[in-house]
Amino acid sequence: MRGPATWPPGHRPAPGGGLAVLVVVTMLAALAAPHAKAFRGRLAGGLPAITAPKLPAPPPTTRAPEDLSFTNGAGCRPAGDWTSLRLDRRVRALLVAAAGQYRVRVSCLRSGHSWFVKGTERVSNHSLWRGVDLDQVDGHPVSRSNTAARRLALWIGRGQAGVQPSEVGSPWTFGVRPWFSDAGHQGHLHVGFPGPTQAGAR
């Protein structure tokens, strides 16, 4: 008859050690079983949900649409003005909408434009970030022979871009506001918006 088991000094198992191992093995098997979803839910029941903090929304893009381009040929620097938060949101909305209909080139927004309307002491809408000049439409200079530019001038003045300007200068005399024509607007379309400036949107 074999006597009681003897263990080397320092190697005697802790009381209940076998039972603890059995419990752990049983729980691991239950968690791995195909029906273990409900079990895992009960196991985690009552614990507070852990959610990652929300990241701040990325700033709106200032990338110009594919059919919107800029030129410094008129002495202005419109590409830099396009990215400014000071630019009137109606100007930005107009240009995005126009570029969805035509290929348009901006020759002036604010930088480089005179402070006053030429020949007057009236502050230009350009100086207040709410004016824009277009010197090309569909790849051709604005002129009386550019029918696409004429259609665009009518489209803008009717508010079909989703914003209503107070000024639409062009080579054509349409007869009523917001349209106007004079010697200074035979080679570009000018669009201006009434105050106050609605800045801050990209």
Side-chain angles (χ1 to χ4, degrees):
M1 181 175 179
R2 180 176 296 180
T6 59
W7 302 92
H11 289 77
R12 186 175 185 85
L19 179 60
V21 171
L22 179 61
V23 170
V24 170
V25 171
T26 302
M27 289 180 63
L28 290 175
L31 290 171
H35 60 274
K37 184 175 180 180
F39 179 82
R40 290 195 294 269
R42 287 195 299 271
L43 187 65
L47 296 178
I50 300 175
T51 56
K54 289 185 179 180
L55 297 175
T61 183
T62 57
R63 180 179 299 173
E66 182 178 354
D67 287 328
L68 177 64
S69 61
F70 305 91
T71 179
N72 294 345
C76 298
R77 298 178 297 280
D81 292 339
W82 170 258
T83 62
S84 174
L85 286 174
R86 300 177 68 184
L87 182 64
D88 193 294
R89 66 187 67 183
R90 295 167 295 182
V91 172
R92 194 181 305 280
L94 167 71
L95 292 176
V96 170
Q101 302 289 324
Y102 303 90
R103 285 182 292 117
V104 295
R105 189 171 79 171
V106 178
S107 56
C108 203
L109 285 169
R110 181 182 184 275
S111 299
H113 196 277
S114 59
W115 184 257
F116 297 108
V117 175
K118 187 176 181 179
T120 76
E121 294 184 355
R122 180 165 54 91
V123 177
S124 169
N125 276 321
H126 287 279
S127 302
L128 301 173
W129 295 92
R130 54 179 190 247
V132 57
D133 291 343
L134 304 174
D135 74 331
Q136 285 190 7
V137 177
D138 274 357
H140 300 287
V142 173
S143 69
R144 293 189 64 83
S145 63
N146 188 334
T147 56
R150 186 180 187 278
R151 289 195 302 269
L152 178 59
L154 285 169
W155 185 80
I156 290 172
R158 290 168 178 158
Q160 291 177 288
V163 288
Q164 182 60 59
S166 56
E167 305 168 351
V168 181
S170 76
W172 302 278
T173 304
F174 296 117
V176 293
R177 283 285 182 175
W179 297 282
F180 70 92
S181 182
D182 58 26
H185 292 84
Q186 297 304 300
H188 69 276
L189 301 183
H190 162 81
V191 184
F193 291 89
T197 302
Q198 299 178 15
R202 286 188 174 186

